[in-house]
């Protein structure tokens, strides 16, 4: 299995676009600030300037973001980016499609006789707003199976942790 840095490099531009659009829904930001946000959100991946700035230009040319020049206190100018309504709409559509995708994956994971290890991902997802929406949208039978499988996975993890603590 490849390491997480290689994954982010391959996912590259599309993933980076989403992180940038999401970050700009929180507040306008300049390029260096966006680099720091990406690094924080991805757990350490910091794209190069040669990847970021052409991507910002592409997002701007597509109408998803806009920019304006601001002068800092020392008289230096910097470009600040902010999301447009078109960018917000794109992000909302991506979120909707991703929830649909997660629903499909949930069906696959829940169809197994034994809890699939991927259910652990869904357990983590349930603590997010998207996960709570996904859970609400499941029919009661699927919701019960998911929650029972989540409990089994958590019990297995707790047992493993207790065993490890007992070895110390």
């Amino acid at each position: 299995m490849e390491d997480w840095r290689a994954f982010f490099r391959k996912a590259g531009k599309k993933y980076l676009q989403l992180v940038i659009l999401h970050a700009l829904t929180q507040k306008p930001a300049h390029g260096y600030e966006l680099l720091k946000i990406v690094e924080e959100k991805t757990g350490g991946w910091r794209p190069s300037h040669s990847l970021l700035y052409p991507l910002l230009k592409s997002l701007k040319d597509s109408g998803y973001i806009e920019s304006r020049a601001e002068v800092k206190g020392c008289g230096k100018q910097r470009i600040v980016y902010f999301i447009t309504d078109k960018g917000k709409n794109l992000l909302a559509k991506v979120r909707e499609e991703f929830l649909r995708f997660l629903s499909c994956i949930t069906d696959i994971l829940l169809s197994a006789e034994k809890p699939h290890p991927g259910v652990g991902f869904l357990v983590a997802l349930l603590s997010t707003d998207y996960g709570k929406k996904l859970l609400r949208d499941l029919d009661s039978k699927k919701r019960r199976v998911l929650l029972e499988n989540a409990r089994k996975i958590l019990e297995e993890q707790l047992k493993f942790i207790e065993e490890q603590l007992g070895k110390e």
Side-chain angles (χ1 to χ4, degrees):
M1 176 132 212
E2 60 189 331
D3 79 5
W4 59 270
R5 286 184 183 92
F7 169 81
F8 284 121
R9 275 192 298 275
K10 285 182 180 178
K13 291 179 183 177
K14 292 300 177 189
Y15 179 76
L16 185 55
Q17 285 178 342
L18 296 176
V19 174
I20 288 170
L21 289 175
H22 176 73
L24 294 175
T25 62
Q26 309 301 306
K27 68 176 187 145
H30 54 83
Y32 180 72
E33 207 173 3
L34 288 169
L35 285 173
K36 291 192 320 190
I37 291 168
V38 169
E39 186 174 19
E40 176 188 322
K41 295 286 185 192
T42 62
W45 177 58
R46 187 169 190 162
S48 66
H49 291 252
S50 63
L51 177 60
L52 177 69
Y53 287 101
L55 185 62
L56 289 170
K57 182 181 179 336
S58 172
L59 288 169
K60 185 177 175 185
D61 291 347
S62 299
Y64 298 125
I65 65 173
E66 291 182 2
S67 65
R68 67 176 169 259
E70 289 186 354
V71 179
K72 293 178 10 179
C74 62
K76 289 188 178 183
Q77 181 176 308
R78 68 178 178 188
I79 305 297
V80 176
Y81 300 91
F82 56 98
I83 193 165
T84 63
D85 287 340
K86 184 177 179 182
K88 290 176 186 175
N89 290 337
L90 174 67
L91 197 55
K93 287 177 186 173
V94 168
R95 285 178 180 144
E96 185 179 312
E97 285 301 315
F98 187 69
L99 284 174
R100 197 167 305 148
F101 169 76
L102 285 177
S103 179
C104 178
I105 295 298
T106 301
D107 287 345
I108 293 168
L109 294 176
L110 295 180
S111 67
E113 291 178 25
K114 182 180 175 193
H116 187 281
V119 175
F121 165 75
L122 291 172
V123 170
L125 180 69
L126 294 178
S127 65
T128 68
D129 290 339
Y130 301 121
K132 291 172 186 170
K133 181 183 181 330
L134 176 67
L135 195 58
R136 281 193 308 270
D137 291 347
L138 286 175
D139 68 54
S140 61
K141 183 179 178 185
K142 287 182 183 178
R143 183 174 37 253
R144 182 166 191 80
V145 170
L146 174 62
L147 291 172
E148 286 173 355
N149 284 339
R151 184 182 59 212
K152 288 176 189 174
I153 296 237
L154 290 170
E155 287 171 349
E156 288 173 11
Q157 290 174 343
L158 181 60
K159 182 179 176 184
F160 173 78
I161 290 169
E162 288 172 344
E163 288 171 358
Q164 296 305 308
L165 287 172
K167 292 179 180 180
E168 292 184 0

